[in-house]
Amino acid sequence: EDQVTQSPEALRLQEGESSSLNCSYTVSGLRGLFWYRQDPGKGPEFLFTLYSAGEEKEKERLKATLTKKESFLHITAPKPEDSATYLCAVWGRRGLTGGGNKLTFGTGTQLKVEL
Amino acid sequence: DAGITQSPRHKVTETGTPVTLRCHQTENHRYMYWYRQDPGHGLRLIHYSYGVKDTDKGEVSDGYSVSRSKTEDFLLTLESATSSQTSVYFCAISESGQGAMEYFGPGTRLTVT
């Protein structure tokens, strides 16, 4: 069974204080790892896809990296608008009937960035 | 914003009553999914659809049924609501069924009293 563990559960940063969020996973045949951002009262918003160990993706102050056991979401010089819950999900070898994506989600890291 | 809406956005209902949630998309994506989100759990798949009238169960399907008679609409029905079905429900869509869920809906907060 695929599993995803995110840490920490919650993180409070001062504006400009860089940090990293962790996503540890066990999966049968990793096909992809995804990061999403979720604002309160809204649905998750897709951020990044990582396919193989060593891959990195960047978007503004966010950089996602991937190893064979975990992924990190690095936040450089965060701003209050980066406050959100960040979700990680893995896509394993086992698919769904009809070819659909079978994703396993972590419980998320709730990030708060203060002035 | 992606064309995916959910209705209602909030609902309070009593135990034992049937409830139907609607997901509507204007992206013409083939795959549609229903998830529930609860504290302490990641998003969990309830049911999904891989085409009109083609649906299948996810990991937490007991007590739920779905229907998809048109590409754009995917309905989730709680046949007889229970308090354990109090949750936030999200619809998601994917064009190819490969990779990430491209878009999620805004969610429906359901409370069963």
Side-chain angles (χ1 to χ4, degrees), chain B residues 15-95:
Chain B
T15 298
T17 59
V19 176
T20 296
L21 309 183
R22 180 183 184 235
C23 176
H24 179 78
Q25 61 140 336
T26 57
E27 303 295 319
N28 202 36
H29 282 10
R30 178 182 172 190
Y31 295 86
M32 299 185 75
Y33 305 79
W34 278 107
Y35 286 91
R36 60 180 289 175
Q37 188 174 43
D38 304 288
H41 293 274
L43 286 158
R44 292 181 290 174
L45 183 64
I46 305 171
H47 280 280
Y48 64 99
S49 170
Y50 49 96
V52 173
K53 297 187 179 178
D54 291 321
T55 65
D56 207 343
K57 297 177 180 180
E59 59 184 300
V60 290
S61 60
D62 287 349
Y64 301 95
S65 62
V66 291
S67 66
R68 190 172 178 197
S69 59
K70 298 186 290 185
T71 298
E72 57 266 36
D73 290 326
F74 192 31
L75 303 180
L76 177 70
T77 297
L78 289 65
E79 294 140 11
S80 177
T82 68
S83 58
S84 64
Q85 293 176 312
T86 292
S87 187
V88 181
Y89 292 86
F90 289 99
C91 175
I93 59 175
S94 170
E95 184 173 21

Side-chain angles (χ1 to χ4, degrees), chain A residues 31 34 36 38 41-46 48-49 51 87 91 96-107, chain B residues 9 30-31 33 35 37 40-43 45 48 50 56 59 90 94 96-102 104-106:
Chain A
R31 298 178 70 181
F34 314 112
Y36 290 86
Q38 185 174 21
K42 296 190 175 182
E45 176 187 348
F46 172 71
F48 301 112
T49 300
Y51 290 110
L87 304 177
W91 175 33
L96 300 173
T97 303
N101 340 30
K102 183 182 185 303
L103 304 188
T104 300
F105 285 84
T107 53
Chain B
R9 294 294 315 279
R30 178 182 172 190
Y31 295 86
Y33 305 79
Y35 286 91
Q37 188 174 43
H41 293 274
L43 286 158
L45 183 64
Y48 64 99
Y50 49 96
D56 207 343
E59 59 184 300
F90 289 99
S94 170
S96 67
Q98 303 298 302
M101 301 291 157
E102 287 111 12
F104 281 83

Side-chain angles (χ1 to χ4, degrees), chain A residues 4-75:
Chain A
V4 175
T5 302
Q6 292 189 245
S7 61
E9 289 186 13
L11 181 62
R12 182 169 287 187
L13 300 173
Q14 296 297 310
E15 184 175 14
E17 180 187 2
S18 301
S19 188
S20 297
L21 313 182
N22 178 265
C23 171
S24 298
Y25 63 88
T26 56
V27 63
S28 175
L30 181 70
R31 298 178 70 181
L33 183 142
F34 314 112
W35 282 98
Y36 290 86
R37 170 191 171 125
Q38 185 174 21
D39 292 300
K42 296 190 175 182
E45 176 187 348
F46 172 71
L47 292 174
F48 301 112
T49 300
L50 301 166
Y51 290 110
S52 58
E55 189 174 1
E56 299 183 353
K57 292 278 180 70
E58 284 190 66
K59 180 180 180 180
E60 297 181 354
R61 294 175 293 282
L62 301 177
K63 184 169 79 172
T65 61
L66 181 65
T67 72
K68 289 186 177 180
K69 294 183 178 180
E70 56 192 348
S71 176
F72 293 94
L73 185 65
H74 307 278
I75 303 175

